[in-house]
Amino acid sequence: MQWLFWEQFSHEPNFSSLRFWITLLDKGDDPQYLDKINERQIKGYEALNVMEDHLNKEDWLVANRFTIADIALYAYTHCAEEAGYSIDSFPKIKSWLRRIENMPGYVPIDD
């Protein structure tokens, strides 16, 4: 439950807002949005660091097995680059994303 609440408060708001502003509203270079984008990116990278630190010790978010917490955090993490984030410096997150994508029954989230 902690990861689910954390996802809603510390992760999702910083990824979904940026993805919406950048991909749907095309405001990535709009001076009126730059401060908001910068603020969300800082918080989003903080969230990615929390995930990376945890995944440095465990393969999964809870009980070292695939759970609903992984599914919830996968949703916006897998499209982080669309929201202006680079996950190149987060190798544990990248490995975690691949583990999820290799799960039996995995169905890609398409736009």
Side-chain angles (χ1 to χ4, degrees), residues 8 12 24 28 31 33 35 37 40 50-51 54 74-75 78 84 92 95 97 100:
Q8 285 294 293
E12 184 271 339
L24 296 174
Y33 279 78
D35 286 341
I37 288 171
R40 295 292 173 125
V50 168
M51 291 177 67
H54 180 79
Y74 176 85
H78 92 283
K92 298 299 182 177
S95 295
L97 291 170
I100 292 172

Side-chain angles (χ1 to χ4, degrees), residues 25-111:
L25 296 182
D26 196 27
K27 299 291 184 182
D29 295 323
D30 186 328
Q32 292 180 330
Y33 279 78
L34 292 179
D35 286 341
K36 289 190 262 188
I37 288 171
N38 186 49
E39 177 185 330
R40 295 292 173 125
Q41 281 185 329
I42 290 169
K43 291 179 182 179
Y45 277 116
E46 288 171 0
L48 289 172
N49 280 316
V50 168
M51 291 177 67
E52 184 75 9
D53 288 346
H54 180 79
L55 293 167
N56 195 40
K57 298 174 226 129
E58 304 284 343
D59 285 342
W60 302 102
L61 296 174
V62 178
N64 208 25
R65 62 186 173 92
F66 184 62
T67 67
I68 191 70
D70 298 289
I71 295 168
L73 281 156
Y74 176 85
Y76 278 110
T77 306
H78 92 283
C79 59
E81 291 179 345
E82 290 178 28
Y85 295 98
S86 171
I87 62 167
D88 290 339
S89 60
F90 298 96
K92 298 299 182 177
I93 291 175
K94 289 172 77 170
S95 295
W96 171 78
L97 291 170
R98 299 300 82 81
R99 277 194 298 281
I100 292 172
E101 292 162 3
N102 288 316
M103 293 295 293
Y106 170 81
V107 176
I109 300 173
D110 294 327
D111 290 336

Side-chain angles (χ1 to χ4, degrees), residues 1-11 47 50-51 73:
M1 292 301 292
Q2 288 178 327
W3 279 109
L4 294 176
F5 286 114
W6 180 83
E7 186 270 342
Q8 285 294 293
F9 182 77
S10 298
H11 184 277
V50 168
M51 291 177 67
L73 281 156

